[in-house]
Amino acid sequence: MSEIEIDHQLGAALKGLRVAAGLTQEGLAERAGISARTVSDLERGLRTAVHYDTAKRIASALGLDEDRRRKFEALARGRVFRAPSIPTAGGLPSALTPLLGRSRELDGIKATLLAGRVRLLTLTGPGGIGKTRLALEAAREIQESFPDGCFFVSLGEVKDASLVAPELAKTIGVAEAGPSLEQLLIKHLAGRRFLIVLDTLEHLTPAAPLVYSLVHSCPETTFVVTSRSALRLRGEHEFPVPPLESPSQIGDDPAEDIMGWPATKLFWERAQAVMPDLQLDRQSASLVLDICRRLDGLPLAIELAAARVKHLPLTAIGRQLENRLEFLVGGPLDLPLRQRAIRDTVAWSHDLLESQAQKLFRRLSIFTGGWGLDDAAKICGPVAEIGDVLETMSALVDQSLVVVDRNNREARYDMLDVVREYAARRLVEASESEEIARQHALHYLKLAEDAEPNLVRVGHEVWFQRLGVQRGNLRSGMAWTIESGDAVLAMRYTVALWRYWRQLGDLVEGRRWSDAALAMPAGAATASLRAKAAWAASALAFPQGDQVRMAALAAEGLELAKQSDDPMDLRNMLTIKGMVSMVQGRYGDALEPFRESVAICRRLGMSWQLGTSCLNLGTALLHTGSGDDALAILREGLRAYRELGDEVFAANINNTMAHAALARNEIAGADQLSREALSVAPQQEERQGIAEGLHTLAGVAAARSDPDRAAILAGAAAAIRETIAARPGPFDVAIPERFLRRVERTVRAKRWRRSWDTGHAMGPEAAVEYALASPNVN
């Protein structure tokens, strides 16, 4: 058994494990309680993923140990398996290269942060001087002094200052579901000792008031900012990052002189990486010293120059740098000297490229947050223009103009900010920026539209991951469609991505894009597309309880749906109309639009919308007293979700059926259903589902006259809802609350509050463990 590899091919892995276990297909199927046809289809590759429950059954039937069980279940569910590991320094990204020659600066930064008097420290300096690397190393070395965690927020790919708060919220684990995200961040940070690194803030200066507000309102949290210039905020302490030092001269021991100073050591180590047989003697040491001095000790410029050793002797590098830095014409002459040295060194590296590499180089500047080889090939032009993409990309990597990120299954590439800025200028000068931007926007729109139907099916985790990796490019693509006035493309983006935003809690950002698209002149947008865009905006407004916006969109959308040839548009608008009634507690008024929605979906066949329409109608029926009818329609919805492989919404239906069981006083059934629902939510990182499951189990405990357990679970549910600023509708809480209010009256207020506070302080993981491990008492 141990010799069987659980690789990326489910069929081969399953067959090997089955044979190793001495089972036939029929024998495995019988043990797992599934059909032999399912086993056969999986082994032949006709199916590439199964439902969560099926994966667990098969793993159990195969008798796999814990490690192999987790690997197999991830593979069988279409997930990328990641073995558990010790997290890197409180969420800080790992360093790819050692920090050279910064001990004095590092000690100064650490001493400043640990003294406790400075809570906003801004590292300033030109691009390429090493601000980010220094901030990360300092945070890593003092992380133990910040018991609540250290976080790194990368803002280089964020182009709009209004997205700084959502980016910070996402990093520290605050969902964007509140009326004021700034207040939600303050509430999360207040009274806790965090260290937060905000990297590359110079282009987002309108966000400076947010930083000041957080510093002012959260006295225990410390912020480190990297920026080309200070924020000029009260209480800010600026730390100018100096260039790397070089020796004053070369003495009797060239090796000691070169390797004993950070600038020359960096050059030599990078040069030897591309030319290992390079010899260090007095002449070469003098040339290295001269090069580093000309580059003013700037790390990025030094690395770019060192990469040229593979193709040019040191004397030629020094001579060309002299010409480049002293006689380059054009470009802004009022830049600070060090910034000009960086720019000119990048320009020098660019000018030495072949024509095809120059074309690819400037076109790659269109990407935000990195790219893969396939992305570059499809966006940047045919082979006749850019050559073989792997070969040309490798040439750019060799010259340190492009960096490789190997933290993904497939290699991804990126550019440092200052390199991208230069490449983007060259793209504009070549009059290619508009066409390349359009190709970029269309490429990532296709990704979003390919992903959209798969976000509610088996294997959805893989698609969520793909979208997450390309988040920066998706943002850039959407921004281009809006800036260029292309309403059709802008609406198509929001229609494709609303479910991604909602599942991840990116409600503020999602609503921003959706509202911007809808506000554009419709142009060539069809009534159907506009109706779908209104549906997307409504679906994002619902978790924030924005009834006014939902009602307005429903009214507008119903008129558009009447002009549309797609009956699903009418279903969507009827759904929003019904949900407005539900949120307002008018359950009877929701029945007609929900019934019509179900009827439309039944005519169209199996779909995620059918499952959701059944969930909505079942919930409305339950709250209008039609319990039997509610259960029948909920079971229909559950079958739809399970067939599609949507575990999150299947759990939602289980939780709703637990409410129905509670209402009928079937306590054991309610307990079983709510435990089922709660066991799924953590695996999907669905905090709203965790809160709902805990709250339902609190109602179960109350029904069993267990006030302490009821209060603990209710407190834990409340804490999660506070964290994500969830606003449950009255239908989400009414039935469990009926039992909770009743049992609360049977004990003293202090006892109830003490237990409630215990649950409130538990944290999601501990609360789920407590809820599921507690005895299942009938």
Side-chain angles (χ1 to χ4, degrees):
M1 177 78 71
S2 61
E3 297 178 357
I4 305 301
E5 287 294 326
I6 302 178
D7 56 17
H8 302 315
Q9 300 297 321
L10 175 59
L14 177 58
K15 183 175 181 179
L17 293 167
R18 175 180 61 77
V19 171
L23 295 170
T24 63
Q25 289 184 347
E26 292 76 13
L28 175 59
E30 183 177 355
R31 275 196 191 182
I34 59 177
S35 69
R37 174 65 179 273
T38 297
V39 178
S40 175
D41 286 353
L42 288 169
E43 290 188 359
R44 290 184 294 156
L46 300 180
R47 292 182 64 181
T48 57
V50 293
H51 189 268
Y52 168 70
D53 181 64
T54 304
K56 288 182 70 70
R57 288 169 180 261
I58 295 174
S60 177
L62 290 169
L64 302 178
D65 60 38
E66 181 67 16
D67 180 60
R68 295 171 70 74
R69 177 190 64 76
R70 286 187 287 102
K71 287 183 179 179
F72 177 80
E73 287 181 8
L75 181 61
R77 296 169 63 201
R79 283 185 161 186
V80 177
F81 173 75
R82 286 180 173 81
S85 59
I86 300 172
T88 59
L92 301 173
S94 58
L96 300 178
T97 57
L99 183 65
L100 298 177
R102 291 296 196 188
S103 58
R104 185 167 55 194
E105 292 84 3
L106 191 59
D107 289 344
I109 292 170
K110 291 191 298 182
T112 300
L113 295 174
L114 292 176
R117 293 186 297 274
V118 173
R119 293 189 302 102
L120 174 57
L121 179 66
T122 303
L123 308 190
T124 60
I129 203 166
K131 300 183 295 294
T132 298
R133 184 69 182 83
L134 195 52
L136 276 173
E137 189 62 30
R140 183 172 291 105
E141 292 191 12
I142 63 173
Q143 54 142 342
E144 292 182 359
S145 298
F146 295 88
D148 292 308
C150 297
F151 294 95
F152 178 83
V153 186
S154 177
L155 299 170
E157 68 180 50
V158 176
K159 305 304 179 186
D160 190 321
S162 68
L163 296 179
V164 172
E167 200 70 19
L168 172 58
K170 189 175 186 66
T171 302
I172 67 175
V174 175
E176 309 167 22
S180 171
L181 186 53
E182 181 177 323
Q183 292 304 311
L184 196 59
L185 288 167
I186 290 172
K187 185 174 183 179
H188 182 77
L189 296 174
R192 305 172 74 181
R193 190 164 168 75
F194 288 105
L195 176 64
I196 297 175
V197 179
L198 301 175
D199 183 51
T200 315
L201 198 62
E202 63 268 1
H203 62 299
L204 300 166
T205 51
L210 168 69
V211 177
Y212 177 76
S213 175
L214 296 177
V215 172
H216 177 73
S217 304
C218 309
E220 300 300 316
T221 293
T222 299
F223 290 84
V224 176
V225 172
T226 71
S227 174
R228 295 184 188 179
S229 58
L231 303 182
R232 295 179 174 83
L233 296 174
R234 189 189 313 166
E236 178 186 24
H237 184 91
E238 183 180 358
F239 187 99
V241 177
L244 296 176
E245 294 182 317
S246 298
S248 57
Q249 61 183 13
I250 300 299
D252 296 332
D253 189 343
E256 182 178 348
D257 290 329
I258 292 298
M259 301 307 289
W261 294 84
T264 49
K265 181 180 181 181
L266 175 63
F267 182 96
W268 193 255
E269 289 189 350
R270 297 298 185 264
Q272 284 206 310
V274 297
M275 194 173 181
D277 58 350
L278 191 64
Q279 297 298 312
L280 181 58
D281 52 27
R282 178 178 290 277
Q283 181 183 11
S284 61
S286 297
L287 290 168
V288 168
L289 174 58
D290 182 60
I291 290 169
C292 291
R293 282 177 176 170
R294 290 185 182 280
L295 296 176
D296 205 18
L298 294 167
L300 175 60
I302 289 171
E303 292 197 38
L304 290 170
R308 278 291 162 193
V309 169
K310 187 174 182 179
H311 303 285
L312 294 171
L314 290 171
T315 51
I317 292 175
R319 186 167 54 252
Q320 292 201 18
L321 274 177
E322 180 179 5
N323 293 334
R324 167 61 62 181
L325 297 178
E326 292 182 6
F327 302 113
L328 186 76
V329 296
L333 297 177
D334 59 341
L335 284 176
L337 181 60
R338 289 171 186 155
Q339 192 64 44
R340 288 173 59 189
I342 288 278
R343 184 207 67 199
D344 296 346
T345 308
V346 175
W348 169 68
S349 296
H350 164 269
D351 291 348
L352 293 175
L353 295 172
E354 298 291 338
S355 173
Q356 289 182 329
Q358 288 184 352
K359 285 182 181 178
L360 179 61
F361 170 71
R362 65 178 179 255
R363 293 173 184 178
L364 290 174
S365 67
I366 203 66
F367 292 99
T368 304
W371 63 87
L373 285 174
D374 185 60
D375 303 318
K378 290 180 178 177
I379 293 172
C380 295
V383 172
E385 293 184 15
I386 63 171
D388 176 79
V389 69
L390 175 59
E391 183 177 331
T392 312
M393 193 76 69
S394 298
L396 296 177
V397 172
D398 286 346
Q399 302 310 318
S400 295
L401 293 169
V402 165
V403 294
V404 186
D405 176 6
R406 294 186 172 86
N407 291 324
N408 298 279
R409 178 177 292 177
E410 296 179 358
R412 285 181 61 77
Y413 302 84
D414 205 349
M415 284 178 171
L416 296 176
D417 291 341
V418 290
V419 177
R420 181 182 290 106
E421 290 168 8
Y422 177 82
R425 287 199 298 271
R426 299 306 297 248
L427 188 68
V428 172
E429 291 167 3
S431 301
E432 296 175 347
S433 55
E434 189 66 19
E435 178 56 29
I436 296 300
R438 181 174 182 80
Q439 292 302 320
H440 176 272
L442 290 172
H443 176 76
Y444 287 103
L445 174 59
K446 183 179 186 304
L447 169 66
E449 292 182 332
D450 287 347
E452 192 269 336
N454 291 290
L455 297 180
V456 293
R457 295 176 180 168
V458 171
H460 55 273
E461 299 93 342
V462 174
W463 286 96
F464 274 103
Q465 183 189 34
R466 288 176 184 174
L467 294 177
V469 168
Q470 300 290 6
R471 190 178 180 197
N473 286 309
L474 292 167
R475 281 174 169 168
S476 293
M478 282 183 290
W480 180 85
T481 65
I482 291 171
E483 291 165 4
S484 62
D486 196 323
V488 171
L489 294 184
M491 290 183 193
R492 284 172 61 187
Y493 257 112
T494 62
V495 169
L497 289 173
W498 73 265
R499 189 175 280 110
Y500 169 75
W501 290 319
R502 180 164 164 172
Q503 176 81 7
L504 271 65
D506 292 341
L507 301 173
V508 171
E509 179 171 355
R511 292 190 68 182
R512 175 183 175 277
W513 292 117
S514 295
D515 290 346
L518 284 170
M520 298 171 69
T526 64
S528 179
L529 177 58
R530 289 159 60 201
K532 288 178 172 62
W535 159 249
S538 300
L540 293 167
F542 172 68
Q544 293 193 315
D546 193 344
Q547 304 171 28
V548 175
R549 179 63 171 157
M550 290 169 63
L553 288 166
E556 178 186 354
L558 281 168
E559 292 302 314
L560 292 168
K562 293 174 183 176
Q563 307 168 40
S564 169
D565 295 329
D566 186 352
M568 198 61 80
D569 294 332
L570 179 58
R571 175 267 170 199
N572 291 342
M573 292 304 109
L574 289 168
T575 297
I576 294 300
K577 181 180 178 182
M579 290 310 299
V580 171
S581 297
M582 292 290 287
V583 170
Q584 295 173 348
R586 298 182 291 106
Y587 305 128
D589 293 344
L591 290 174
E592 183 179 349
F594 284 166
R595 283 195 174 106
E596 193 173 346
S597 296
V598 170
I600 292 171
C601 290
R602 283 173 174 165
R603 290 195 296 270
L604 296 176
M606 177 58 64
S607 67
W608 180 86
Q609 288 85 348
L610 173 60
T612 306
S613 296
C614 290
L615 171 59
N616 294 336
L617 178 56
T619 304
L621 287 167
L622 174 61
H623 288 277
T624 52
S626 301
D628 291 340
D629 292 341
L631 283 174
I633 199 73
L634 288 170
R635 290 187 181 112
E636 181 181 351
L638 184 61
R639 287 192 295 272
Y641 286 138
R642 283 184 170 165
E643 183 171 334
L644 293 168
D646 189 332
E647 300 161 20
V648 171
F649 272 80
N652 286 348
I653 284 196
N654 271 334
N655 200 64
T656 304
M657 290 198 295
H659 286 200
L662 263 180
R664 297 158 67 101
N665 214 35
E666 296 173 357
I667 310 306
D671 184 69
Q672 180 180 348
L673 286 164
S674 52
R675 285 171 181 267
E676 259 184 69
L678 182 58
S679 67
V680 170
Q683 298 160 19
Q684 302 298 321
E685 300 179 357
E686 222 279 309
R687 288 181 289 177
Q688 177 71 21
I690 295 174
E692 290 174 356
L694 291 172
H695 192 257
T696 304
L697 281 171
V700 169
R704 287 175 170 157
S705 301
D706 187 346
D708 293 327
R709 174 172 163 80
I712 288 172
L713 292 173
I720 295 172
R721 282 176 170 148
E722 288 170 13
T723 301
I724 63 175
R727 294 182 175 183
F731 54 91
D732 288 319
V733 298
I735 293 174
E737 279 297 317
R738 188 187 311 160
F739 290 88
L740 286 166
R741 286 194 299 269
R742 186 185 307 163
V743 78
E744 184 179 358
R745 289 194 293 266
T746 66
V747 297
R748 290 188 176 184
K750 285 186 177 179
R751 175 180 169 184
W752 178 269
R753 186 68 198 188
R754 185 169 57 249
S755 296
W756 192 94
D757 287 344
T758 298
H760 195 267
M762 256 185 182
E765 291 184 11
V768 170
E769 184 178 354
Y770 171 79
L772 297 180
S774 297
N776 185 350
V777 181
N778 292 320

